[in-house]
Amino acid sequence: MTRSHAVLWALILATTVADIVLTMVGLEAGLREGNVVMAAMLAEFGLAGLGLVKFAAMAWLVAGWALLDDRNAAVFLALFATVTCAVVVSNALLLFG
């Protein structure tokens, strides 16, 4: 694993945890899930649906990372990290801002 991959993985894991926590806080506060796929999974399976979607996303991410060369894997991880960071910022602003 390259240093840049390790940094991106740390960022992805931290922001994924933050996304899960902020989603749970938002749902408890009466907000609705904005992602239609996640909303359907939450409606069908409750918080287990949240875990299923996050697990599937991580499995997809690991598979892509493992199959790509170092440069493309770094781009792949960076794009995922960017989206996850944006979601966390959006959720935080919605809840606290």
Side-chain angles (χ1 to χ4, degrees):
M1 178 182 304
T2 67
R3 180 177 164 95
S4 62
H5 290 192
V7 168
L8 289 166
W9 273 113
L11 179 61
I12 288 166
L13 294 174
T15 54
T16 297
V17 169
D19 181 30
I20 292 168
V21 170
L22 290 172
T23 297
M24 292 170 59
V25 169
L27 293 172
E28 282 292 316
L31 299 175
R32 66 175 186 80
E33 174 60 49
N35 178 322
V36 295
V37 172
M38 188 65 77
M41 292 297 287
L42 284 165
E44 186 68 26
F45 302 106
L47 288 179
L50 176 67
L52 287 170
V53 171
K54 293 300 180 181
F55 178 81
M58 286 296 119
W60 173 77
L61 189 62
V62 168
W65 173 66
L67 293 172
L68 294 169
D69 61 64
D70 282 348
R71 181 184 171 280
N72 289 327
V75 171
F76 184 61
L77 293 174
L79 290 171
F80 194 92
T82 300
V83 170
T84 307
C85 285
V87 168
V88 168
V89 168
S90 175
N91 288 347
L93 287 172
L94 185 62
L95 285 167
F96 309 116

